[in-house]
């Protein structure tokens, strides 16, 4: 639909509380606006005379991709899959972030390529990126010899990425570019970072209990 001179095709409805508050149901005709003249927002449903036949939407208790529990934490507005890297959907997005411009910045390593590599079981961890070979890459759709060689070159170049970019690429919740910089400055290596305690994290500049707990949980899971 056209809203304020712009064609809008999607408007997010991930917040369970908002669905209930606005009484939004499956099949409703809705009112839409661009909040702040930018973000598409569903204001509410168009009420019609007579009995309402539309049904409430219920958030799934399990991830529709991997089947792991989908948990909504206290104070959070969304449900999250608990499958981690065992969930192919999370794995794909985690690797896309890791090779993206705010992390390793590997040119030519787009989402479609990551999806193929994960589906064919060539990519299961971040480390697998550096074990890719030209022969593996040329076996993929739309990947010729020259493209494969260029990507291997970019991957090798990424081995010299700064530590703060690598930390940011790990996708730890609540850890952004500034926090990654502070962690890199204090711990100097991923090995030291992985061994750090929650007290070590809390003693880092600009890091409070929430971020420290998130870091401790991330690295404790990696040790299992």
């Amino acid at each position: 639909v056209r809203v304020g001179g712009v064609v809008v095709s999607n408007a997010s409805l991930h917040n369970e509380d908002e669905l209930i508050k606005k009484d939004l149901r499956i099949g409703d005709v809705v009112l839409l606006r661009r909040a702040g003249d930018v973000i598409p927002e569903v204001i509410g449903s168009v009420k019609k005379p007579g009995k309402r036949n539309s049904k409430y939407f219920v958030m799934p208790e399990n991830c529709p991709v991997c089947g792991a529990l989908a948990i909504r934490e206290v104070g959070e507005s969304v449900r999250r899959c608990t499958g981690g890297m065992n969930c192919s959907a999370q794995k794909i997005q985690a690797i896309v972030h890791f090779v993206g411009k705010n992390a390793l910045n590997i040119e030519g390593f787009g989402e479609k390529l990551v999806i193929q590599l994960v589906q064919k079981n060539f990519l299961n961890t971040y480390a697998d990126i550096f074990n890719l070979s030209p022969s593996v890459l040329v076996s993929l759709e739309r990947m010729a010899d020259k493209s494969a060689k260029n990507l291997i070159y970019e991957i090798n170049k990424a081995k010299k990425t700064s530590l703060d970019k690598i930390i940011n690429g790990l996708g730890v919740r609540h850890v952004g570019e500034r926090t990654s910089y502070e962690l890199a400055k204090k711990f100097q290596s991923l090995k030291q970072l992985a061994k750090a305690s929650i007290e070590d994290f809390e003693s880092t500049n600009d890091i409070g209990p929430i971020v420290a707990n998130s870091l401790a949980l991330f690295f404790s899971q990696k040790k299992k």
Side-chain angles (χ1 to χ4, degrees):
V1 294
R2 291 188 68 82
V3 183
V6 174
V7 176
V8 175
S9 57
N10 293 286
S12 178
L13 286 171
H14 64 274
N15 189 319
E16 291 178 73
D17 295 335
E18 285 294 298
L19 287 170
I20 296 168
K21 179 182 175 183
K22 295 177 179 178
D23 192 22
L24 296 167
R25 305 183 193 180
I26 298 169
D28 281 352
V29 174
V30 297
L31 292 169
L32 189 71
R33 71 169 182 176
R34 289 172 65 207
D37 293 327
V38 179
I39 302 170
E41 178 190 9
V42 176
I43 304 169
S45 60
V46 178
K47 302 297 189 293
K48 298 179 180 179
K51 187 179 178 181
R52 196 174 178 193
N53 295 318
S54 51
K55 297 179 181 180
Y56 287 105
F57 175 78
V58 180
M59 290 288 181
E61 294 184 359
N62 297 88
C63 172
V65 174
C66 72
L69 281 175
I71 294 176
R72 180 181 175 183
E73 296 179 6
V74 177
E76 292 280 336
S77 63
V78 297
R79 286 183 181 268
R80 298 179 189 276
C81 167
T82 57
M85 292 290 271
N86 291 319
C87 175
S88 62
Q90 286 200 60
K91 185 187 297 182
I92 287 167
Q93 292 307 315
I95 294 173
V96 167
H97 174 69
F98 191 68
V99 300
K101 65 178 182 179
N102 292 322
L104 269 65
N105 194 24
I106 302 177
E107 189 175 337
F109 214 139
E111 184 172 0
K112 290 181 180 179
L113 180 60
V114 173
I115 290 171
Q116 284 194 74
L117 289 166
V118 169
Q119 289 177 340
K120 292 178 180 292
N121 211 33
F122 290 125
L123 275 187
N124 287 298
T125 68
Y126 299 127
D128 290 339
I129 292 167
F130 301 99
N131 293 324
L132 291 172
S133 64
S135 60
V136 165
L137 293 175
V138 294
S139 69
L140 305 175
E141 293 179 17
R142 299 180 182 179
M143 183 63 73
D145 287 340
K146 185 176 181 181
S147 299
K149 288 177 182 178
N150 288 341
L151 186 56
I152 292 295
Y153 171 79
E154 292 293 332
I155 290 171
N156 287 329
K157 194 167 69 171
K159 292 177 181 179
K160 297 179 181 179
T161 302
S162 61
L163 181 59
D164 62 308
K165 293 284 188 181
I166 294 172
I167 295 170
N168 188 46
L170 294 176
V172 184
R173 283 192 67 195
H174 309 299
V175 175
E177 292 181 63
R178 177 64 189 175
T179 303
S180 298
Y181 174 80
E182 294 295 342
L183 289 166
K185 187 166 68 172
K186 178 169 182 176
F187 294 101
Q188 301 292 307
S189 72
L190 275 179
K191 186 176 181 180
Q192 291 300 317
L193 184 66
K195 291 194 304 182
S197 66
I198 194 166
E199 291 78 18
D200 293 329
F201 294 134
E202 286 187 328
S203 66
T204 305
N205 188 39
D206 288 339
I207 290 182
I210 292 176
V211 178
N213 273 293
S214 185
L215 282 160
L217 177 62
F218 179 86
F219 286 109
S220 66
Q221 289 174 335
K222 296 303 174 185
K223 293 171 185 174
K224 292 179 181 178

